[in-house]
Amino acid sequence: AGITRRPGTRYSALVPNLKGLERAIAVGVTDVAVFTAASETFSRRNINQSIEESLVTLATVCERAIREGIRIRAYLSTCFGCPYEGDVPTTRVGELAKRLVDLGVFEVVISDSIGVAHPAQVWQVLDAVTSYASLSQIALHLHDTRGTALANVLAGLQAGVTTYYASCG
């Protein structure tokens, strides 16, 4: 709330639930980011909700954000592998991406949460996701845990993805 705002700049906040959204609204955000996971165990351990429970929470958040004129980005974690379950079915990733788009998000960020993706897998996951969502609605969040992030970015670029998120540190 105390920052100097610049014209044309979008201000975003990560919101885990309706209370987080209300706090974001109070400080004048223009965008919010919500999140769920493609792995049941990761979802339970990360936010103490099943995937289905998290989607119910997200539906409430998205409905309110849309009423307030706030854009919504959704992060879908563990799309390339889970530290608890291992492989995550690409069909599940695609179906969850569709459900997020159906909630009104402008972008679904397909996330390599633990840095296990490889270029062929990027193609496979994107193929599953684009069966349900437009490529223009898809972004990638990649980690360099195994030194493959740049190769995965190249695979994503070749597939047509133009928006990327990463972490510093």
Side-chain angles (χ1 to χ4, degrees), residues 149-160:
L150 289 178
N152 291 335
V153 168
L154 178 59
L157 287 168
Q158 291 170 332

Side-chain angles (χ1 to χ4, degrees), residues 5 7 14 22-23 34 44 50 75 79 81 84 89 91 103 105 109 118 124 131 135 138-140 143 147 158 162 165:
R5 294 182 179 259
L14 183 65
E22 290 167 357
R23 294 167 116 180
V34 297
R44 284 251 178 235
S50 69
Y75 285 87
C79 293
Y84 310 107
T91 53
L103 290 177
V105 306
V109 185
H118 55 79
Q124 292 165 352
S131 297
L135 195 57
I138 303 303
L140 288 171
H143 287 248
Q158 291 170 332
T162 58
Y165 296 90

Side-chain angles (χ1 to χ4, degrees), residues 4 31 35 67 89 95 99-100 108 131 140 145-146 167:
T4 302
D31 296 32
F35 54 93
R67 274 197 326 262
E95 290 164 0
R99 291 183 70 184
L100 291 167
V108 178
S131 297
L140 288 171
T145 308
R146 297 184 181 177
S167 61

Side-chain angles (χ1 to χ4, degrees), residues 29-157:
V29 300
T30 57
D31 296 32
V32 294
V34 297
F35 54 93
T36 189
S39 154
E40 197 64 50
T41 306
F42 189 88
S43 183
R44 284 251 178 235
R45 293 202 177 184
N46 190 42
I47 59 173
N48 199 29
Q49 290 183 331
S50 69
I51 293 170
E52 285 304 315
E53 289 168 335
S54 74
L55 291 171
V56 170
T57 298
L58 294 184
T60 304
V61 170
C62 290
E63 181 182 305
R64 173 80 187 278
I66 290 167
R67 274 197 326 262
E68 297 288 335
I70 295 172
R71 293 188 332 160
I72 311 150
R73 170 185 302 110
Y75 285 87
L76 184 54
S77 300
T78 63
C79 293
F80 298 92
C82 171
Y84 310 107
E85 296 177 18
D87 292 338
V88 174
T90 58
T91 53
R92 183 185 309 153
V93 176
E95 290 164 0
L96 288 168
K98 180 190 183 317
R99 291 183 70 184
L100 291 167
V101 168
D102 289 348
L103 290 177
V105 306
F106 78 92
E107 180 176 74
V108 178
V109 185
I110 305 301
S111 302
D112 181 19
S113 308
I114 59 172
V116 297
H118 55 79
Q121 188 181 25
V122 170
W123 280 87
Q124 292 165 352
V125 169
L126 288 174
D127 186 52
V129 169
T130 56
S131 297
Y132 297 97
S134 164
L135 195 57
S136 65
Q137 296 172 295
I138 303 303
L140 288 171
H141 175 88
L142 304 167
H143 287 248
D144 200 33
T145 308
R146 297 184 181 177
T148 57
L150 289 178
N152 291 335
V153 168
L154 178 59
L157 287 168

